Amino acid sequence: MNREELNWLLQTIKDAQTAERCVLAQYERGRISLQVMADVARERGWINRTANQFLTTATGHSTGYATPELPIGTV
């Protein structure tokens, strides 16, 4: 699903909370990328720059962005 399709779908949902859950569900099922989810959330004002709760919730479920282990250097 691309961004335009997602925006079209969201136009049919009147409740902001339901729309937010829909976007998160699309991301969790792998139908949209993290970038698309973040862009849509930013456009709709769901992301508060000081308390980034929506994006934190979404990235907590992500398995594609694991932090690699770094080797420990010796002095």
Side-chain angles (χ1 to χ4, degrees), residues 15-26:
D15 179 27
Q17 187 176 16
T18 302
E20 188 174 335
R21 284 194 312 253
C22 176
V23 170
L24 186 56
Q26 297 304 312

Side-chain angles (χ1 to χ4, degrees), residues 12-75:
T12 65
I13 301 172
K14 301 299 180 199
D15 179 27
Q17 187 176 16
T18 302
E20 188 174 335
R21 284 194 312 253
C22 176
V23 170
L24 186 56
Q26 297 304 312
Y27 170 73
E28 288 175 343
R29 287 168 179 77
R31 295 179 182 150
I32 62 172
S33 68
L34 178 64
Q35 185 63 50
V36 169
M37 181 184 66
D39 290 345
V40 169
R42 210 173 290 113
E43 289 170 2
R44 292 179 168 261
W46 298 337
I47 295 179
N48 179 342
R49 298 257 184 225
T50 58
N52 201 350
Q53 207 170 27
F54 181 83
L55 192 57
T56 300
T57 301
T59 56
H61 295 292
S62 174
T63 57
Y65 295 95
T67 305
E69 291 185 358
L70 299 175
I72 298 174
T74 56
V75 180

